[in-house]
Amino acid sequence: RWLFTQAVCTLYAFCGVLFGLGSLTSLTVLSAVCCLKVCYPAYVLLLCVWAYALMFATAPLAEWGSYGPEPYGTACCITWKASSREATLYILALFIFCYLLPCLLILISYSLILWTVRVSRRAVSQH
């Protein structure tokens, strides 16, 4: 029988699930990255990029947000003046997932690349 309290049981189970799923997910991502690099160098990534863009571009067609004339009336784009809660959520989702998140990922990626190059340069110069 379990010798500890229900709280310890919950914590134990949570940790088991968290670390088990984290390990399995890490192995999954690593194998997928290896597969993509070896078997489908750019095609799958490009397909994912365009699927991501298509998802957000078609959202106004499904009435989550909307398209309309720009303020000067010479072209059309997303209706930025939200007229409903759904439109506000769409604009917020665009900001987070199509601007903020990509900018952060780009910043983090290039920072890590620069840090790795700097560490590698130091290691080479020490030899």
Side-chain angles (χ1 to χ4, degrees):
R1 74 176 179 86
W2 182 253
L3 299 176
F4 304 103
T5 65
Q6 179 59 37
V8 175
C9 179
T10 301
L11 178 64
Y12 180 84
F14 170 78
C15 289
V17 171
L18 175 66
F19 295 122
L21 290 175
S23 177
L24 180 61
T25 305
S26 295
L27 292 172
T28 303
V29 169
L30 288 171
S31 68
V33 167
C34 290
C35 177
L36 289 174
K37 284 185 145 190
V38 172
C39 302
Y40 310 100
Y43 305 117
V44 174
L45 295 177
L46 287 175
L47 181 65
C48 291
V49 165
W50 285 102
Y52 189 80
L54 183 65
M55 179 179 67
F56 283 99
T58 58
L61 302 177
E63 298 183 12
W64 187 40
S66 62
Y67 290 124
E70 289 183 339
Y72 295 110
T74 57
C76 290
C77 70
I78 295 166
T79 305
W80 295 108
K81 289 186 179 180
S83 58
S84 67
R85 183 172 184 260
E86 290 78 20
T88 302
L89 289 174
Y90 174 67
I91 292 168
L92 184 62
L94 273 180
F95 175 72
I96 292 170
F97 295 107
C98 299
Y99 178 72
L100 189 61
L101 184 63
C103 287
L104 288 173
L105 287 174
I106 290 168
L107 182 66
I108 291 167
S109 295
Y110 282 112
S111 297
L112 287 173
I113 289 169
L114 289 172
W115 182 74
T116 303
V117 168
R118 180 175 289 150
V119 169
S120 296
R121 186 184 310 166
R122 284 184 192 157
V124 168
S125 68
Q126 289 178 356
H127 287 85

